[in-house]
Structure formats: C-alpha cells, structure tokens
Amino acid sequence: NDVPTLPLVNGSIRFWFKPDWTSGEGPGGYGSLMSFGKWKAPPNMSGYWGLSLDPKGERIQFGAQSTEQGTTFIAASIKFTKGNWYEIVLSFDANASWIYIDGKAHGPGQGISFIPPDSALKSTGFAIGNNPQGYQPVKGLIDGFEIFNFPLSSIENQFKYFALSAQVASDPVRIRLQWGAQKKRTYEIKRRH
C-alpha cells in the first residue's frame, strides 16, 4: 500500500551512530534517531513511534503514542563522545524492550502494549536521523541501518551482525539471498522442508 513496513510489536532495529557532539553538549534539542507520526500533548494525540535523544545527549528513549495513550517504554543514560561510532540496538516485544549500546544491555523496559494507528505512518512516512517534520535533527551520522521482524537477544545481537535479504521469483522459481561479505568468515545455508 505504498507505506513502509515496520515491525511495531515484535522486532529489532540496529544501526551505527556517530554524533557531532559530546554528551552534556548534545544536539541542542530533542533528536529523533528514527520515528513516524508526531508526538502531541493530550488530548490531541494522533500517533507516534520513535527512538530519540534528549537535548543534552545524555539519554536515549523509545516511546509511542496512540490516539488514546502514550508512554516511554524504555530510556537509558548514554555517554557519547563526538566523532566516535556507537552501535545502537532497539529490541522489543509484548513482554519487554531493551536498548543495547555497543553490546551493553539497558533494560528491561516495558513491553509494547499498544501501537499508533496506521494513519500516523501513512501521514508522515518513516524518518531516520530527524523527525518527519524536519525539526529534530540528531546532528550526526547514521549508517548500517537494519530492521529485524523479531527481537534480538543479547546473544543474537553479538552474532547476527549482518543483514540478510531474500528475493523470490516465480519464473523460474528461485530464491536469491544477499548479505554483506565478512573476511575470513564462512556461512552455512540449510533448506527446511
């Protein structure tokens, strides 16, 4: 339906972030690492979902709003240094939410108990590095953005460090798998019946 497909109840999002600032200085305003919709004060909530930074760059938080309720599912203290790359993983399901910074787990936070209405995503699209309206830049670089349709555990996060994609064709029947090459690493592919 010409809208992004995102896992909103069970999933993980992993990416690398290099801030142009140091914690304490921060981006100077709220920075949206990824989001859709628009966070609004009650009673005018229209739907929001996202991972953001506080103005001083000392806290990262994941939250959502429906048209009836809103909450921060998890928040964690951060200490970033300008020009350094940090791996950030958000992992969530109905039971808990986790944020991993360079492999260090923060959580558990609340499980995903509600999601925004479809209209929130359709109206704004999904934004990375800023909010869809363009006034919450993170002031840094984002790279290697991956979306998983299942929550990554701390163990999986250590070993699933690459994205795998599949393309299916019916004539001729085939499945094409792609992933980033890693030096001195072998991969085993098995077929299930």
Side-chain angles (χ1 to χ4, degrees):
N1 294 331
D2 296 329
V3 295
T5 301
L6 293 169
L8 300 180
V9 178
N10 298 297
S12 296
I13 296 177
R14 179 170 57 192
F15 58 95
W16 289 87
F17 177 59
K18 182 170 81 167
D20 292 339
W21 42 264
T22 296
S23 292
E25 168 193 330
Y30 283 97
S32 181
L33 290 161
M34 58 182 180
S35 68
F36 69 84
K38 186 174 182 181
W39 189 278
K40 294 181 182 177
N44 300 317
M45 297 182 294
S46 59
Y48 167 86
W49 190 93
L51 183 67
S52 62
L53 300 164
D54 76 323
K56 291 190 173 187
E58 297 175 331
R59 179 177 154 110
I60 186 170
Q61 57 194 23
F62 169 56
Q65 279 187 339
S66 68
T67 55
E68 300 164 355
Q69 59 183 321
T71 194
T72 297
F73 296 117
I74 186 169
S77 295
I78 55 174
K79 192 165 187 163
F80 289 168
T81 302
K82 179 179 180 177
N84 287 349
W85 283 101
Y86 298 92
E87 183 189 46
I88 299 173
V89 179
L90 170 65
S91 188
F92 52 90
D93 63 19
N95 299 312
S97 54
W98 295 84
I99 295 175
Y100 299 89
I101 309 287
D102 288 340
K104 182 181 177 189
H106 300 271
Q110 295 179 44
I112 308 306
S113 54
F114 64 90
I115 60 172
D118 291 342
S119 59
L121 179 56
K122 288 179 183 177
S123 67
T124 66
F126 184 64
I128 299 172
N130 204 332
N131 67 355
Q133 296 77 25
Y135 58 81
Q136 290 185 339
V138 293
K139 297 185 180 174
L141 298 175
I142 293 177
D143 196 12
F145 198 89
E146 300 173 279
I147 299 174
F148 299 84
N149 65 350
F150 56 91
L152 288 171
S153 69
S154 59
I155 299 296
E156 288 173 313
N157 186 39
Q158 290 175 352
F159 294 100
K160 290 188 185 297
Y161 54 86
F162 62 90
L164 173 68
S165 67
Q167 295 174 334
V168 180
S170 59
D171 189 20
V173 175
R174 68 178 183 267
I175 299 174
R176 181 179 177 203
L177 302 175
Q178 290 183 281
W179 60 86
Q182 302 288 330
K183 289 183 179 181
K184 298 182 181 180
R185 182 165 294 278
T186 60
Y187 303 96
E188 182 178 341
I189 298 173
K190 296 181 179 181
R191 179 179 173 183
R192 287 189 190 174
H193 295 279

